[in-house]
Amino acid sequence: MIEIIPAIDIIDGKCVRLSQGDYEQKKVYNENPLEVAKMFEGVGVRRLHLVDLDGAKAQHIVNYKVLESITNCTSLVVDFGGGLKSDDDLRIAFECGASMVTGGSIAVKNPTVFRSWIEKFGSEKIILGADVKDEKIAVGGWLETTQAALIPFVQDYHKAGIDKVICTDISKDGMLQGPSIELYKKILAEIPELYLIASGGVSSMADIEQLQEAGVPAVITGKAIYEGRIKMDDLAKFLA
């Protein structure tokens, strides 16, 4: 069964969502991320994707206290990302209870550091964040599209030991218009053993079921839950 991973994005310690990564298109959904995490845990969710949007802007970890409160007060497995640039950032994240961390821009801009993390912390603790636009890798909060083609980029890191990849189609993210199923099929056709985590565009449980039929192992969903398109009852039934 496909693993459903709810997302909590943090700005100023609050649970928010952006549209297409635009900080100007911010909507606050809850002042208390721990409350949201407990709500997910209550319906049977086991894993959480926590994104430090302040950290992404500041280029270093910021909202580690939110991470710590969630890992101390729930049994959720948390993967944490957003602005992680140094060994010290990772040390803080792991000390505050993250089971895994996600590196995106750094994997493009400083592959030496990212590869050193795989060796130092183990590939099971490091997720590759592959943000994509027109099958090219995008970085810097999606402000910049590179010339790096998605599939060779992922293949290179897969050879280096990465087996978990969050792939976000940025044209879809926060838009509630359906995920890029054909893109995910293409990736899995090339790297079938990859633990591919689809992200962006999920608008309903039907989208999640389609991803499951396509053989996608896991999916991140945020806005569809916060906007009531996916109800907690729906999640509970699916997870049961």
Side-chain angles (χ1 to χ4, degrees), residues 136-164:
K136 293 280 198 295
I137 293 293
V139 293
W142 307 340
L143 298 172
E144 183 189 334
T145 306
T146 70
Q147 289 309 301
L150 170 66
I151 288 172
F153 175 78
V154 173
Q155 280 172 326
D156 280 351
Y157 276 117
H158 184 54
K159 285 173 191 155
I162 286 289
D163 58 9
K164 292 184 284 290

Side-chain angles (χ1 to χ4, degrees), residues 23-232:
Y23 283 75
E24 298 302 311
Q25 296 186 62
K26 175 184 82 178
K27 186 169 177 182
V28 177
Y29 285 101
N30 196 300
E31 302 272 330
N32 186 345
L34 175 58
E35 201 174 83
V36 179
K38 284 181 169 176
M39 187 172 65
F40 288 136
E41 186 180 39
V43 297
V45 166
R46 294 199 180 93
R47 183 158 157 204
L48 191 66
H49 178 62
L50 188 64
V51 183
D52 181 0
L53 290 174
D54 292 314
K57 248 188 179 173
Q59 302 285 296
H60 60 82
I61 193 167
V62 174
N63 285 295
Y64 56 89
K65 289 287 183 194
V66 175
L67 167 64
E68 193 171 42
S69 73
I70 290 172
T71 58
N72 280 345
C73 301
T74 74
S75 60
L76 293 165
V77 171
V78 180
D79 79 69
F80 185 81
L84 303 175
K85 294 287 180 273
S86 67
D87 287 13
D88 207 42
D89 287 332
L90 265 67
R91 179 187 58 75
I92 294 165
F94 289 133
E95 281 177 4
C96 289
S99 297
M100 293 163 269
V101 296
T102 301
S105 297
I106 192 157
V108 182
K109 297 199 159 184
N110 203 333
T112 307
V113 168
F114 189 72
R115 285 171 184 267
S116 79
W117 291 352
I118 300 167
E119 287 168 25
K120 212 172 284 182
F121 299 100
S123 61
E124 71 285 352
K125 285 183 169 274
I126 309 293
I127 302 170
L128 174 64
D131 296 338
V132 61
K133 187 176 183 183
D134 302 325
E135 295 194 32
K136 293 280 198 295
I137 293 293
V139 293
W142 307 340
L143 298 172
E144 183 189 334
T145 306
T146 70
Q147 289 309 301
L150 170 66
I151 288 172
F153 175 78
V154 173
Q155 280 172 326
D156 280 351
Y157 276 117
H158 184 54
K159 285 173 191 155
I162 286 289
D163 58 9
K164 292 184 284 290
V165 176
I166 296 171
C167 183
T168 305
D169 183 341
I170 62 180
S171 67
K172 302 275 190 181
D173 193 65
M175 303 309 287
L176 299 172
Q177 292 169 354
S180 293
I181 290 170
E182 292 310 312
L183 175 67
Y184 300 132
K185 282 181 177 172
K186 195 186 270 194
I187 296 166
L188 288 169
E190 294 287 338
I191 321 166
E193 62 278 19
L194 195 67
Y195 195 82
L196 180 63
I197 304 164
S199 169
V202 171
S203 66
S204 64
M205 288 306 297
D207 285 340
I208 290 173
E209 284 158 8
Q210 279 188 304
L211 286 164
Q212 179 167 269
E213 282 164 24
V216 177
V219 57
I220 289 170
T221 178
K223 198 168 189 178
I225 295 170
Y226 300 121
E227 293 284 342
R229 304 279 195 98
I230 293 175
K231 304 273 190 281
M232 284 292 153

